[in-house]
Structure formats: structure tokens, C-alpha cells
Amino acid sequence: MATIYDVARHADVSAATVSRVLNGRGSVDPTLTERVLAAVAELGYRRNAVARNLRKQQTSLWAVIISDVQNPFFTSMVRGIEDVASAAGCSVVLCNSDENPEKESKYIGVALSEQMAGVIISPSSDRTEDFNLLPDSGCPVVMVDRQVKGVRCDSVLVDNEHGAEEATTHLIEQGYERIACITGPRRLSTAAQRLRGYRNAFKAAGRPVDESLIRAADFREHGGHDAMAALLDAAGPAPDAVFVANNLMTVGAMECLAERGRVIPDDIALVGFDEIPWADLVRPSITTVEQPTYEEGRAAAELLAHRIANPDRALTQQTLKTTLRVRASSTRPTPLSP
Amino acid sequence: MATIYDVARHADVSAATVSRVLNGRGSVDPTLTERVLAAVAELGYRRNAVARNLRKQQTSLWAVIISDVQNPFFTSMVRGIEDVASAAGCSVVLCNSDENPEKESKYIGVALSEQMAGVIISPSSDRTEDFNLLPDSGCPVVMVDRQVKGVRCDSVLVDNEHGAEEATTHLIEQGYERIACITGPRRLSTAAQRLRGYRNAFKAAGRPVDESLIRAADFREHGGHDAMAALLDAAGPAPDAVFVANNLMTVGAMECLAERGRVIPDDIALVGFDEIPWADLVRPSITTVEQPTYEEGRAAAELLAHRIANPDRALTQQTLKTTLRVRASSTRPTPLSP
DNA sequence: GCGCCACGTCGTAGATGGTCGCCATGGGCC
DNA sequence: GGCCCATGGCGACCATCTACGACGTGGCGC
């Protein structure tokens, strides 16, 4: 690889002049500029970003720490982030934490070691001290989707509580009596908020919450399946509707229902949180609380860009709205005899 | 951020000794080792990877250039890559080329500038000279999924031709008469190979290929939709089966069929290439040619790791097998009267 | 007309943080 | 007493950026 000195020698100028030409700083005689550019082209010179980063004390890499690259929720978000990063001349380093706090803090360490320009994280633990390493070391951070109290950073969230309340209210209004809830790990803010929304809907309707119909699982397919099975196997009458707090668990729950021969929505209605990819191909089509995932990614990335540009600005928190998409899985089957 | 010199001063040794302790190279007195480690802990020292990379002339970043983060085919592959990279102590930089040759070569430039340890690419163009920049600059490369002739690098492919032939043969054996094919952009090896497999099946069955039933689209949902529409609108009898050469186009085609009220498989049978996420929830369930996507990612990553460790080893090419998963969309409806 | 000042332009040199080759030192063993 | 090995420190090196200083030229003022 040619270095800036090779170019300088070739163009018969100093390395400083080459640097000035390439970075557009200071002023350089047009003749020399031309000679430099010609030398660059001839040698196929490409500046060494590592050396540049060291000297400038900053890189153009953004770490994006999420818990599952395979979840369409995150990929859509990553896409939003990538588009903004790319426009800002930055690259995205993808870190898969796998909902594993160890891996997560490992990646925080990597981001710090690599002097990354910033971090966008969807936390899967609540280790405040790990997260605060970042702002404490002067590394800009934006939290997205999930919230951890006591971390000094910007955040982009969605209105989970309202979304869940709207979904549950919809089921109540459809006349369902025993509405179950499969929520996520208690340590995750999204799970807590969605559960709160579920409760709020009952309160608003003046109805009591049946605690035996609430199950906390792990936001994964298998967990959703097992929670659904547990609900069906529990003593007492089975639920006639279920609100599932994320997309993977929705799939698991549906598979469980299919295994048991329960028909949606005739035997049991279902509303899921998060979008399902290619939802229109799934039968019955699933009523979901849709999140603006791409926009979440964009918003987080823009917040990060702003904070990098201006580290001292006040912390901000942005909350995006969800949309209830009513489809076939939650509409009362028309009674056979009216 | 503390530097190695701060640690050295704190432990009252030289920076070289700190470096030796941290890297386990050379031998250091246990007493000093202890003092160094204590200083590291006390200062919260974290080595500056940028400086290290500059000095060592190598980084621990792998660029992964794919065309669509949102396509489950790629995310599963990325997951495979990430798992291997993580085990090797490397991080993955995700680059979304969006099937855009400009973006793709931009990212190749970034990988070169950032002195990345290696590149895994699923090419969306056939600009041989762009790709060869990498091996020519001594940057290890592995091509995955798609092939570009004349590029000096390792590759991991799947047996597209055989997979497509198997799928088409299955439709022939089911007794379908007018089997259409929606393939991808001609410049992509996968599209060409899958089309060849389709033709092979007819040849093997001793049947002619009806060229009017072949459409090339863009591997995207919209393209699949429009190609399906064009097939239905064409003069002459409509096809009674269709082989669609990737997952996104399969979705598009199914949506088109739904719009037109054509029932799968009664009116038209369908086989898709690539896995569909949560395929079990889709009704009717779709017969697909399944690729070992996670394994493809793993294989590519392992190949990359080997080449990084041993740049002079001979070029290798690995081909993985596909599996035909027969589901409901391609099975002859049982005749009403036997 | 001459001299000084200001500005444009360019090169030198130091800084960035970590690694490692080489050399010096000291202690132990033969 | 001499040799060898363990250990530690110095300084070069990686490629780039940039502060500072130097040089030259042009313009303006006296």
C-alpha cells in the first residue's frame, strides 16, 4: 500500500501538502494540487484510516449493539441506522448480543477500545455501570427501543404502554372475556411497559385483571410457545383471547395453538406486538401493534450524529407512536345464528 | 482515557513491560505483573485498539458486504459469520450495498482504507476490477452465495443448479404441464444457475422448454409481483405452476396471485427458492428449496479466518447442498372424483 | 522608490498510543 | 571467573495530521 510519503515524493511536495490537498484544509497552489492528485491516481493511493483515526483521535465507526440480527424488528432498525450512517460517511459495526449481558459488555469494551465514534444500543441487561462506562469515557451513546434508568444518554423509544393498552382495549371491545397476556422478561423496559398497558386497558374498562392469565416468557419463539401451552393447560376455563408482547413469541404461540388444533380467532383471538414479516402471507392474518422500526433506527442515528457533533447538548428522549393494525386474528367470528 | 504510559507510571515500570504483561509476550517478574494489573484495574485502562492496529498493521474487523440486511437469507448468513468472528475475537462491519454497484465499491474502498482484516462479500455487480482491488492490496476476501468469474478469492456457494432442477423436476412429476419460471437479474450467477437448473429438468424429462414462460425480474418483491402478473396476462393458456428463483419474489408472486383470486395450489402450484421466515405460519405452506444459510455464513467466515492466518494457501471453493422441502403449495389437489 | 507588513503557501517536526527489536544489566550456575 | 538466561528499558516505528515557523510576494504608506 502506498503511503502519503510515496505520494509526496512522486509529486515532489511534502507530505503535509498532500494531506492538505486530500483534506481540503489550508490553501494549496492549484499546480501542486494537480500534481498531488495525479500522483494519487497513479499510485492508487488510499489514505490509511487507522493512522488517521489515531492522529485525529476519532473514528468513523458506529457500534450497533442489538440482541438478534435475525429478528426483523432489529434488521429494519439497523437499516434505518445504516442509511443515516452511510450518508454521514460512517460505517456500522454490528454486534449481536444475543440477549446475553456478558456479550453485551464485551461489545461495549470493544467499542471503547476501538475508539468508536458512537454507540447505538438496544440493551438486553440492566447493568447501569456497564452502560455508563460509555458516556463516562466520552463515547456518545443512544439507547433505542429499550430503556435503562440511570444511564446518561439519549434515547429513542416507542410508546409501548399506549400500544399495548390499545391492543388490549381492542380485544375487550370485541367482547372477549378471558384475555391472557404473554409478556417478556421483567428486566426489559419494553416488557414492563407492555404489561402495564395491558393492565391499564382493564382499569379503563372497569374490569379486574385476572393475574393467572399473565405469563412472563423470554421474548423468544420457544418461550411464547411454552407460555401459550401453560395458559391452555392451566386449571379453569381457557382464555378466549391473548395479547402477545413481541413478534417471536407470537409465532411460538401460534405454533402452539396450531398443534393443539385451536383455531384463531374462532377458539382464541390473538394480537401481537411488533410487525411480522410478510404478514399478509400468514393465515389468518394477525392483528399487530406496529412499530415504526425503520424510523426508530433513523431517529437514533440522527440523535447520535447530533451528539457526536455537539457532545454537550442536553440529553433528549424521543418517543414514537405505534399503530394498531386490525386484521383477522382478533375479530369476533360472526355468530352462526344471529 | 488512560494510556499505557499512565499505567506504567502508576505501576512504576516502563510502558514496554505493561505491554508485555497485557499481551503475555516475553517474561515479566510476577511482582511487576501484579503491580501492572493493579494499575490497570485502578485506572480502568483499556488499550487503544487504533494505536495497536496501526503498529501491528492489522485490525480485527471483518467487512461483510451484502445487498439487503432485511432479507432473512442474509441475516441468517450474517449470524453464521458473526458467530465465527466473535469466537476469533473479531468484529463484523455490516455494509448494505442495496444491490447498488456504486455503494458496493464505496464499501470496498472503506474496507481497504480501514485496513480491515478481511472481507466477505455477496457481490451485486460483476465489476471484476473493483473486487480484485482487494486481493491485489493483500486484503483477504471470500465471496459467498454469488460468484464472479475472474476474481482471485475463495468462495462459498450453494448448488443452485441442482436445487432448481430438483424443484422443477418435482413440479414435472406432480403432473403440471405449463411450468413457468421467474428468475433474477442475468448478471447474478445465482439467477443464471437457477434458470439453468430449470432448463435441465425439462431436458431430463425429455420435454421442451416454453421460453414464453420464463421471466427475469430483479430478485425483489415488486419484481416478483409484476413478473407473475405478466405471466398471467400473457396470451395463451395461463401457467399451472411456477418456480420462483428467490424468496422476496416468491412473496411478490403470492401477493399477485392473491389479488387475482388464484388459489395455490388448485389454480397454480408454486415452488420458491430460499427459505421463507416463519414458513409454517404461511398458508398454504410453501414448497421451497432450502439453503443452509447459517452454514454458508459459517463456512465463509472459517475460510476467511484460514486465509488471514495463511495468505498463501491455494484458493478454494466450497459448494453446499440445498434441500427440497415439499409442502402444500406444490402438491396436486386430490381430484374431486377419483 | 523604498521599506514594512500582511497574507498566502509550504515544509519541518512533533504528537498520537502501542509494540517490539535490541541492548544492557544482573544473578545464578558451572 | 565466565557464560548464559531472565528481565527490563530505550527508542524506533506505524501513517497521518497540524501547529508553527519560514519564505516570498504584493500592496500600501511614507
Side-chain angles (χ1 to χ4, degrees):
Chain A
M1 271 307 244
T3 73
I4 203 171
Y5 292 106
D6 298 326
V7 176
R9 208 173 311 122
H10 215 263
D12 198 25
V13 296
S14 75
T17 301
V18 177
S19 172
R20 273 190 285 259
V21 169
L22 296 179
N23 296 305
R25 304 185 78 79
S27 49
V28 179
D29 187 285
T31 315
L32 293 193
T33 302
E34 204 171 316
R35 282 209 325 251
V36 167
L37 294 179
V40 165
E42 190 166 345
L43 296 174
Y45 168 76
R46 214 173 276 276
R47 81 170 142 218
N48 184 322
V50 178
R52 178 197 174 88
N53 293 342
L54 174 61
R55 178 58 233 247
K56 300 201 78 167
Q57 297 286 75
Q58 59 159 337
T59 65
S60 55
L61 295 177
W62 293 1
V64 173
I65 307 179
I66 57 176
S67 54
D68 183 6
V69 242
Q70 296 191 69
N71 188 331
F73 168 76
F74 286 116
T75 55
S76 166
M77 207 176 75
V78 167
R79 181 58 201 266
I81 295 171
E82 232 253 344
D83 285 353
V84 175
S86 177
C90 293
S91 302
V92 165
V93 178
L94 192 68
C95 309
N96 218 38
S97 77
D98 232 350
E99 301 282 5
N100 179 344
E102 305 301 326
K103 276 185 138 186
E104 189 170 79
S105 58
K106 189 192 96 184
Y107 279 123
I108 290 176
V110 171
L112 245 21
S113 276
E114 295 278 350
Q115 321 270 227
M116 301 222 181
V119 174
I120 294 177
I121 185 169
S122 175
S124 43
S125 80
D126 48 7
R127 298 183 175 181
T128 316
E129 66 282 11
D130 277 3
F131 299 129
N132 272 327
L133 272 180
L134 291 165
D136 289 351
S137 308
C139 178
V141 201
V142 177
M143 275 196 179
V144 67
D145 185 47
R146 299 170 180 176
Q147 197 174 16
V148 176
K149 299 265 186 234
V151 178
R152 291 177 290 284
C153 68
D154 299 299
S155 51
V156 175
L157 305 169
V158 297
D159 195 344
N160 288 296
E161 198 166 327
H162 180 259
E165 178 172 347
E166 204 177 2
T168 312
T169 299
H170 164 69
L171 288 171
I172 293 174
E173 285 172 351
Q174 289 287 311
Y176 293 103
E177 294 292 334
R178 296 179 54 76
I179 303 169
C181 175
I182 301 178
T183 183
R186 297 186 197 287
R187 69 171 194 286
L188 297 183
S189 62
T190 45
Q193 289 163 358
R194 289 170 199 176
L195 179 57
R196 205 172 316 136
Y198 167 83
R199 290 184 192 278
N200 290 351
F202 282 94
K203 183 179 279 180
R207 280 170 53 174
V209 172
D210 181 346
E211 297 292 333
S212 72
L213 293 179
I214 298 175
R215 303 280 157 157
D218 60 359
F219 268 168
R220 299 188 188 217
E221 198 169 321
H222 197 76
H225 177 280
D226 292 356
M228 190 72 245
L231 282 167
L232 294 178
D233 291 340
D240 60 356
V242 58
F243 164 63
V244 191
N246 93 329
N247 54 4
L248 298 184
M249 295 199 303
T250 300
V251 175
M254 286 181 71
E255 277 167 355
C256 175
L257 292 172
E259 283 165 16
R260 307 278 184 116
R262 306 280 180 130
V263 178
I264 303 172
D266 303 37
D267 297 332
I268 183 167
L270 189 149
V271 177
F273 211 103
D274 290 352
E275 190 61 351
I276 305 240
W278 305 336
D280 294 332
L281 300 184
V282 174
R283 290 290 174 276
S285 59
I286 305 296
T287 298
T288 56
V289 180
E290 204 175 292
Q291 304 187 64
T293 47
Y294 177 82
E295 279 307 322
E296 257 187 283
R298 280 200 76 96
E302 276 159 8
L303 232 49
L304 184 64
H306 287 145
R307 178 149 307 278
I308 289 171
N310 179 7
D312 298 323
R313 68 200 289 266
L315 293 180
T316 62
Q317 177 171 323
Q318 211 168 319
T319 304
L320 303 179
K321 293 257 166 285
T322 59
T323 311
L324 181 68
R325 293 245 178 270
V326 176
R327 298 197 183 87
S329 72
S330 65
T331 43
R332 262 271 180 242
T334 34
L336 290 176
S337 48
Chain B
M1 272 306 243
T3 73
I4 202 171
Y5 294 103
D6 298 328
V7 175
R9 208 173 311 124
H10 214 260
D12 199 24
V13 296
S14 75
T17 303
V18 178
S19 172
R20 273 191 284 261
V21 170
L22 296 180
N23 296 305
R25 305 185 79 80
S27 51
V28 179
D29 187 284
T31 316
L32 294 194
T33 301
E34 204 172 315
R35 281 210 323 251
V36 167
L37 293 179
V40 165
E42 190 167 344
L43 296 174
Y45 169 76
R46 212 174 276 277
R47 83 170 143 217
N48 184 323
V50 178
R52 178 197 174 86
N53 292 341
L54 174 61
R55 177 60 234 243
K56 302 201 78 168
Q57 295 287 75
Q58 59 159 334
T59 65
S60 55
L61 295 177
W62 293 0
V64 173
I65 306 179
I66 56 176
S67 55
D68 183 6
V69 240
Q70 296 191 69
N71 188 333
F73 168 75
F74 286 115
T75 57
S76 168
M77 207 176 76
V78 167
R79 181 58 199 267
I81 295 171
E82 231 254 341
D83 285 354
V84 175
S86 177
C90 291
S91 303
V92 165
V93 177
L94 191 70
C95 309
N96 217 40
S97 75
D98 230 351
E99 301 283 7
N100 179 344
E102 305 300 327
K103 275 182 138 186
E104 189 170 78
S105 58
K106 189 192 96 182
Y107 280 123
I108 290 175
V110 171
L112 246 22
S113 275
E114 296 278 350
Q115 320 272 293
M116 301 220 180
V119 174
I120 294 177
I121 186 169
S122 174
S124 42
S125 80
D126 48 7
R127 298 184 177 181
T128 316
E129 67 281 11
D130 277 3
F131 299 129
N132 273 328
L133 272 179
L134 292 164
D136 289 351
S137 309
C139 178
V141 202
V142 176
M143 275 197 181
V144 68
D145 185 49
R146 300 171 179 175
Q147 198 175 15
V148 175
K149 299 266 186 230
V151 179
R152 292 177 288 284
C153 67
D154 298 300
S155 51
V156 175
L157 305 170
V158 297
D159 195 345
N160 288 296
E161 198 166 327
H162 180 259
E165 179 172 346
E166 204 177 2
T168 312
T169 300
H170 164 68
L171 288 171
I172 293 174
E173 285 172 351
Q174 288 287 310
Y176 293 103
E177 293 292 336
R178 296 180 53 76
I179 303 169
C181 174
I182 301 178
T183 184
R186 297 187 196 286
R187 69 170 193 286
L188 297 183
S189 62
T190 45
Q193 289 164 358
R194 290 171 197 174
L195 178 57
R196 206 173 314 135
Y198 167 83
R199 291 184 191 277
N200 291 351
F202 282 94
K203 182 179 279 180
R207 280 170 53 173
V209 172
D210 181 346
E211 297 292 334
S212 73
L213 292 179
I214 298 175
R215 304 280 157 158
D218 60 359
F219 268 169
R220 298 189 186 215
E221 198 169 322
H222 197 76
H225 178 280
D226 292 356
M228 191 71 244
L231 283 167
L232 294 178
D233 292 339
D240 60 356
V242 58
F243 165 62
V244 190
N246 93 330
N247 54 5
L248 299 184
M249 294 198 304
T250 302
V251 175
M254 286 182 71
E255 279 168 355
C256 175
L257 292 172
E259 283 165 17
R260 308 277 183 117
R262 307 278 180 130
V263 177
I264 304 171
D266 302 37
D267 297 331
I268 183 167
L270 189 148
V271 177
F273 211 104
D274 290 352
E275 191 61 349
I276 304 242
W278 304 339
D280 294 332
L281 300 184
V282 174
R283 292 288 174 273
S285 59
I286 305 296
T287 298
T288 55
V289 180
E290 205 175 290
Q291 305 187 66
T293 47
Y294 177 83
E295 279 308 322
E296 256 188 283
R298 281 200 75 96
E302 277 158 9
L303 232 49
L304 184 64
H306 286 145
R307 177 147 308 277
I308 289 171
N310 180 5
D312 297 324
R313 68 201 290 266
L315 293 181
T316 62
Q317 178 172 321
Q318 210 167 321
T319 303
L320 304 179
K321 291 257 167 287
T322 59
T323 312
L324 181 67
R325 293 247 178 269
V326 176
R327 298 200 183 87
S329 71
S330 65
T331 44
R332 263 273 180 240
T334 35
L336 290 175
S337 46

